[in-house]
Amino acid sequence: MRNPDLVVSIQEEDFSAADLESDLLRAGGPATGACVAFTGYVRGANTGDAVSAMELEHYPGMTEKSIAAIAGEAFGRWPLGAVRVIHRVGRLLPGERIVYVGVAAAHRREAFAACEFIMDYLKTRAPFWKKETTDRGERWVEARSSDTSAAERW
Amino acid sequence: MMVTVRFFASYREKLNTRQLQVPLPRPGCRVSDLLEQLVASGGELWADVLARDNTVVAVNQVVCDLQRVIGEGDEVAFYPPVTGG
């Protein structure tokens, strides 16, 4: 069996989903027949308030390790060719990309499932925290119980 | 015997502390003992911030519970529920 091909990057810079997809297809090799990707963006409004900026904090070292562990779990559950996880940190503006999870696999079913699984686990386990700037000042985003239930179904 | 204690996000802000070096309460102690010591020396604010049901604890960058035994050189982090993605 091929070794799982995983890249995790925590970065301030933006990324190109098109470039990442080319990289996934190359890394997945000739058996790749499906590529599923999710891109998350900064919302310009949250819980009724306009959001003018967002600051993302993380726990350097642990973040990379926890995402690698989540991806490792996905590799154990589904036959996957390659996985890419990019998460931005620092100051971001509405409409900017925050996160990318891309999965290459032989067939669509495992690619869809693994992409969603990695996102659900990332949201509830990877040590990132968002702070929003709104008209009413800055506030830390509260964790949502719907995210916890989404991760619990796997 | 020293451990490094780290705080993130709202905890870091409320406690106005990013990182501390503290002596372990005693050999073979658990995260709960360290937490008790931090609250005892920090006072009410520290109790309010840290002693919550949803506080996440990580030792050496792996999430664990308060029963985890800690030792010399360990890195113990306390943080609120995560909100990435």
Side-chain angles (χ1 to χ4, degrees), chain A:
Chain A
M1 209 181 130
R2 282 165 34 78
N3 282 329
D5 187 303
L6 169 70
V7 175
V8 175
S9 175
I10 311 303
Q11 59 189 54
E12 291 192 8
E13 311 78 56
D14 194 10
F15 54 82
S16 154
D19 290 352
L20 286 160
E21 180 153 322
S22 308
D23 179 41
L24 270 175
L25 289 171
R26 184 197 50 73
T32 303
C35 183
V36 169
F38 171 83
T39 305
Y41 292 85
V42 179
R43 267 188 296 275
N46 196 21
T47 61
D49 294 313
V51 173
S52 57
M54 179 171 276
E55 186 76 31
L56 263 143
E57 178 172 337
H58 77 122
Y59 184 168
M62 180 171 175
T63 315
E64 292 83 347
K65 276 198 259 180
S66 65
I67 294 173
I70 293 164
E73 227 175 294
F75 279 116
R77 287 182 184 224
W78 297 281
L80 308 175
V83 170
R84 299 287 180 269
V85 181
I86 315 295
H87 205 299
R88 294 179 69 192
V89 292
R91 186 178 164 84
L92 298 173
L93 300 174
E96 285 199 84
R97 283 175 278 272
I98 304 180
V99 61
Y100 175 92
V101 174
V103 178
H107 301 283
R108 75 180 184 286
R109 202 168 299 277
E110 50 263 32
F112 273 124
C115 185
E116 201 169 11
F117 169 88
I118 293 168
M119 261 319 293
D120 283 348
Y121 268 51
L122 184 153
K123 284 198 83 91
T124 51
R125 294 188 180 182
F128 291 102
W129 301 272
K130 290 185 184 130
K131 189 187 207 182
E132 301 173 327
T133 304
T134 72
D135 297 344
R136 295 195 269 175
E138 292 189 331
R139 66 185 183 199
W140 289 99
V141 172
E142 295 281 326
R144 293 211 281 220
S145 60
S146 59
D147 287 333
T148 309
S149 344
E152 279 167 356
R153 75 203 152 110
W154 293 101

